[in-house]
Amino acid sequence: MASGRDAVRLTDDEVQELLRENLKVQVASIGPDGSPHLTTLFYVLDEGRIAFWTYGASQKIRNLERDPRVSVLVEDGTDYFELRGVSITGRAEIVRDRDRIFEIGSAVATRMLDAESFEALGDFGRQTVEKQATKRVGVIVHAEHVATWDHRKMT
């Protein structure tokens, strides 16, 4: 018989499904005084890894430049027996290549607006992402430890 934790653990396919179904990730970096700095961002999957873009001068980027350790959480559900999530601890790779930033930003914008493709956002969408990409960096989370749960498996 599986232990409680094993009974609610997500399979690799279930993890990818949960990550594809959700839009927002909570991102924790380590602040200058050692305390957690927590934010929520829209994300995409980049070769199965969580990726997002954010302003290059943001506190989270200053934190990750100093210490690349990061924790991220994607979760959903309302009541206890619906809760499921993926918590990833790892290292943040800061992406400064403009083409890659544009690629990540385009994917995030497409996903945020639930568009069929980036091209469906039209010239305004492209211009907006191009302008934003000059101020932003991309971040790719490289997992070192993954914890998962799906309380729907308890019923």
Side-chain angles (χ1 to χ4, degrees):
M1 180 174 191
S3 72
R5 178 167 274 303
D6 289 340
V8 298
R9 184 172 285 131
L10 293 166
T11 66
D12 290 345
D13 287 343
E14 290 169 332
V15 167
Q16 290 302 306
E17 178 184 341
L18 176 70
L19 294 178
R20 281 191 304 272
E21 290 175 358
N22 286 275
L23 296 173
K24 295 181 284 183
V25 61
Q26 295 173 27
V27 177
S29 58
I30 301 169
D33 64 355
S35 63
H37 177 259
L38 189 61
T39 58
T40 302
L41 299 137
F42 291 96
Y43 73 94
V44 294
L45 292 177
D46 182 84
E47 297 181 10
R49 299 170 301 201
I50 289 180
F52 55 88
W53 72 336
T54 188
Y55 291 103
S58 67
Q59 183 63 53
K60 75 186 84 44
I61 294 302
R62 291 197 315 263
N63 293 344
L64 294 171
E65 288 170 336
R66 187 181 60 260
D67 185 337
R69 291 179 295 170
V70 66
S71 292
V72 298
L73 172 68
V74 175
E75 56 85 27
D76 69 10
T78 303
D79 78 37
Y80 183 79
F81 291 104
E82 294 175 346
L83 298 179
R84 63 185 181 140
V86 178
S87 177
I88 301 169
T89 304
R91 301 254 170 218
E93 172 191 349
I94 300 174
V95 177
R96 297 186 188 283
D97 175 77
R98 288 285 166 226
D99 291 338
R100 276 297 274 142
I101 295 167
F102 181 80
E103 183 181 325
I104 292 168
S106 298
V108 169
T110 301
R111 210 161 171 238
M112 284 174 57
L113 298 172
D114 197 26
E116 287 184 31
S117 67
F118 182 64
E119 290 73 29
L121 299 179
D123 289 340
F124 179 75
R126 180 172 191 78
Q127 291 167 1
T128 301
V129 171
E130 284 176 348
K131 183 178 178 184
Q132 289 294 312
T134 64
K135 306 172 196 176
R136 294 181 179 242
V137 297
V139 176
I140 300 171
V141 177
H142 295 272
E144 293 175 353
H145 177 75
V146 178
T148 67
W149 58 93
D150 185 348
H151 288 184
R152 299 173 310 173
K153 294 182 177 187
M154 295 170 69
T155 58

